[in-house]
Amino acid sequence: MVEWIIEPGLTAYPEAVARMEARAAGIAAGTAGELIWLVEHPPLYTAGTSAKPADLTDPHRFEVFETRRGGQYTYHGPGQRVVYVMLDVGRRGHDVRRFVRDLEAWVIATLDRFNLRGEVRAGRVGVWVARPDKPPLPDGTPREDKIAAIGIRLRKWVSFHGLSINVEPNLSHFDGIVPCGVTGHGVTSLVDLGLPVTMADLDVALRATFDAVFEQSPAEPAEAPSSATR
């Protein structure tokens, strides 16, 4: 059984990292069970293993935390659901690429509960939604906005970090970074798209769609990585 915890209030980022690492170590040692931990953070930026200094465009706006998860710069703050995923990826087939695809599929299935189509794009991280209501980019490319980010780390085949979904954050807070290194396209949220979704609504949808995605037959073993992002 996977334990679910919804953390009240705002959780400081260093506290979250310490708790994730302790739980992941317990899972690897067989002394703790798997956990999905739902939190909100005060406004902050995190730098993944691929973060480029130039993508931190306003370094003094919020506190910046370096992290060993995959990916580049991300924003976390109130109104954004951060889902920390501490799962035994080894038990699920030792396939990190499949695990990341499963995280994407989980987000997409969750958004579908609100009749919103989320999509992934080759070469662009996260989960995206089409914005036909906005003018295309100068080269004619249709506009798409990012609604969810994914970045994980694995230690002894146990995952931590995870994903974030924008419910109703202050979207101007993303202006201090180039989110995940992607330029041209923007960032959106469920409420920005006109959907009256609450954090509690999203939590229910996440729980309802989890089992169908993650309780599947294992894949072939692969070499253990330390981080990944999409």
Side-chain angles (χ1 to χ4, degrees):
M1 294 290 294
V2 178
E3 182 182 5
W4 286 68
I5 295 176
I6 301 176
E7 194 72 23
L10 301 179
T11 302
Y13 190 75
E15 175 190 347
V17 172
R19 289 175 63 178
M20 277 193 293
E21 291 187 344
R23 183 65 173 245
I27 295 168
T31 58
E34 295 178 309
L35 173 65
I36 303 297
W37 187 27
L38 308 179
V39 309
E40 285 181 86
H41 288 304
L44 59 93
Y45 297 131
T46 65
T49 54
S50 302
K52 301 174 183 177
D55 287 346
L56 181 62
T57 58
D58 189 353
H60 305 295
R61 187 166 191 178
F62 300 123
E63 193 167 4
V64 180
F65 296 91
E66 293 189 1
T67 176
R68 294 185 178 181
R69 60 150 177 83
Q72 302 187 41
Y73 281 104
T74 60
Y75 165 77
H76 295 315
Q80 180 192 71
R81 175 54 83 207
V82 178
V83 185
Y84 288 131
V85 181
M86 286 151 275
L87 297 177
D88 186 344
V89 180
R91 184 174 69 82
R92 288 175 164 80
H94 294 87
D95 189 336
V96 68
R97 291 180 180 86
R98 173 179 171 166
F99 183 66
V100 173
R101 290 195 301 269
D102 285 347
L103 291 173
E104 294 170 341
W106 184 26
V107 172
I108 290 169
T110 298
L111 297 177
D112 186 61
R113 290 275 171 147
F114 307 108
N115 296 314
L116 179 63
R117 181 173 180 175
E119 299 176 293
V120 295
R121 291 288 183 265
R124 268 197 271 135
V125 298
V127 176
W128 300 77
V129 294
R131 298 303 304 266
D133 56 313
K134 292 186 175 183
L137 298 179
D139 64 358
T141 302
R143 272 287 303 272
E144 296 177 334
D145 284 349
K146 186 174 185 179
I147 196 166
I150 297 174
I152 63 167
R153 179 169 171 78
L154 269 67
R155 183 177 296 159
K156 297 183 178 179
W157 283 110
V158 175
S159 68
F160 52 110
H161 296 283
L163 58 94
S164 60
I165 301 175
N166 298 329
V167 179
E168 193 179 8
N170 185 334
L171 295 178
S172 71
H173 287 180
F174 287 88
D175 294 345
I177 58 172
V178 178
C180 297
V182 178
T183 58
H185 298 280
V187 180
T188 191
S189 69
L190 289 161
V191 172
D192 180 55
L193 292 168
L195 299 170
V197 179
T198 68
M199 195 70 72
D201 294 333
L202 180 69
D203 294 345
V204 169
L206 285 164
R207 184 67 188 90
T209 54
F210 178 84
D211 288 345
V213 174
F214 287 96
E215 296 307 320
Q216 303 174 22
S217 58
E220 292 298 319
E223 183 180 353
S226 61
S227 62
T229 185
R230 285 294 299 276

